[in-house]
Amino acid sequence: MKKKRSSLILAFLVTCTFTFGLSVRADDDNEHEYKKHEKYDDDDRYEYDDEDESYNTNGEVYEKGTWNIWTRELVMEKEVLPFSTSKLVNLKVVDMNKELNFYVIPKDGEFFVPGKTVAQLLGAKATFYKTSKILDIKYQENELVFRSGTNVVYDNNVKTPLPASSFYLNEELYVPISVITNGLGYVVEWQEDNQMFLCQLLIK
């Protein structure tokens, strides 16, 4: 009886070890990927200094920014967005016959879009690491690495300001549309009549 009970306990422990062990290992942040993205996993961000009206970077400060142009610098003021409430819209890629429907969230003077979804539509390879909330996007020679809750993106390994902080929502990392399109070599515009974002390559 004792042997039977011991066998049952041992079987239970082995099952738990494999179940919980596999669930941890099955997570997208395995040891290799954690080390690979460790340098992005910090709390540094760009901040505005009210005293001297400048940013704490060595770059220039743009007086006014637009929602569809990523200046790669921080801006003091932003233009009014074409619409101000979250809604379902289309994004069409010119010359690729590709179109996608998704929710766009206006926030902090920017249009936020689901980063992985849009990147894949534009032909990029996108990997989201759920535990660390890091989105890694690769397209040809370009790489963009975002982390939730920061206004920083690593643009080909160069720490660069975002126009507003990315955030995690509904299993996606939302990023400014200007950054993901411009960063991958596209330009985007809003067509009011069609209620659509139109995206095309900057250089063909």
Side-chain angles (χ1 to χ4, degrees), residues 19 76 132:
T19 302
M76 295 180 68
S132 55

Side-chain angles (χ1 to χ4, degrees), residues 83-95:
F83 58 90
S84 59
T85 57
S86 301
K87 62 180 177 179
L88 197 62
V89 300
N90 279 0
L91 184 147
K92 183 175 182 180
V93 184
V94 177
D95 297 332

Side-chain angles (χ1 to χ4, degrees), residues 63-64 98 122 156 158 164 195:
E63 291 297 320
K64 194 158 190 174
K98 287 185 176 181
L122 298 178
N156 291 326
V158 177
Q195 292 290 292

Side-chain angles (χ1 to χ4, degrees), residues 21-190:
L22 287 176
S23 68
V24 171
R25 284 295 178 189
D27 197 346
D28 44 27
D29 287 340
N30 60 36
E31 188 176 343
H32 170 72
E33 292 301 337
Y34 176 78
K35 286 179 179 177
K36 178 183 174 184
H37 293 103
E38 194 170 8
K39 68 177 177 179
Y40 308 122
D41 196 20
D42 54 26
D43 288 326
D44 59 354
R45 59 191 73 203
Y46 293 99
E47 294 178 0
Y48 185 72
D49 186 347
D50 290 325
E51 289 185 10
D52 58 10
E53 294 188 348
S54 63
Y55 287 93
N56 65 350
T57 69
N58 293 325
E60 295 180 33
V61 177
Y62 280 65
E63 291 297 320
K64 194 158 190 174
T66 57
W67 65 266
N68 64 337
I69 302 296
W70 182 29
T71 62
R72 290 174 170 77
E73 301 288 348
L74 292 164
V75 296
M76 295 180 68
E77 188 182 348
K78 296 179 182 180
E79 68 177 7
V80 177
L81 295 173
F83 58 90
S84 59
T85 57
S86 301
K87 62 180 177 179
L88 197 62
V89 300
N90 279 0
L91 184 147
K92 183 175 182 180
V93 184
V94 177
D95 297 332
M96 289 178 70
N97 199 26
K98 287 185 176 181
E99 196 168 325
L100 187 67
N101 193 254
F102 54 83
Y103 270 97
V104 174
I105 302 174
K107 184 175 181 287
D108 299 330
E110 302 293 328
F111 283 129
F112 281 84
V113 297
K116 182 178 178 180
T117 300
V118 172
Q120 290 174 335
L121 179 71
L122 298 178
K125 180 184 176 183
T127 307
F128 181 62
Y129 301 97
K130 193 172 180 181
T131 300
S132 55
K133 304 286 191 297
I134 287 175
L135 176 63
D136 188 354
I137 297 171
K138 294 176 182 174
Y139 179 71
Q140 297 177 355
E141 301 301 315
N142 300 327
E143 182 177 24
L144 300 170
V145 180
F146 301 87
R147 188 169 68 87
S148 178
T150 72
N151 65 345
V152 170
V153 61
Y154 284 83
D155 181 16
N156 291 326
N157 288 318
V158 177
K159 182 182 170 185
T160 310
L162 287 176
S165 295
S166 58
F167 58 91
Y168 180 69
L169 180 68
N170 296 332
E171 305 295 317
E172 283 260 22
L173 188 65
Y174 276 74
V175 301
I177 195 171
S178 62
V179 178
I180 196 163
T181 53
N182 293 176
L184 298 179
Y186 289 83
V187 65
V188 65
E189 63 181 46
W190 172 248

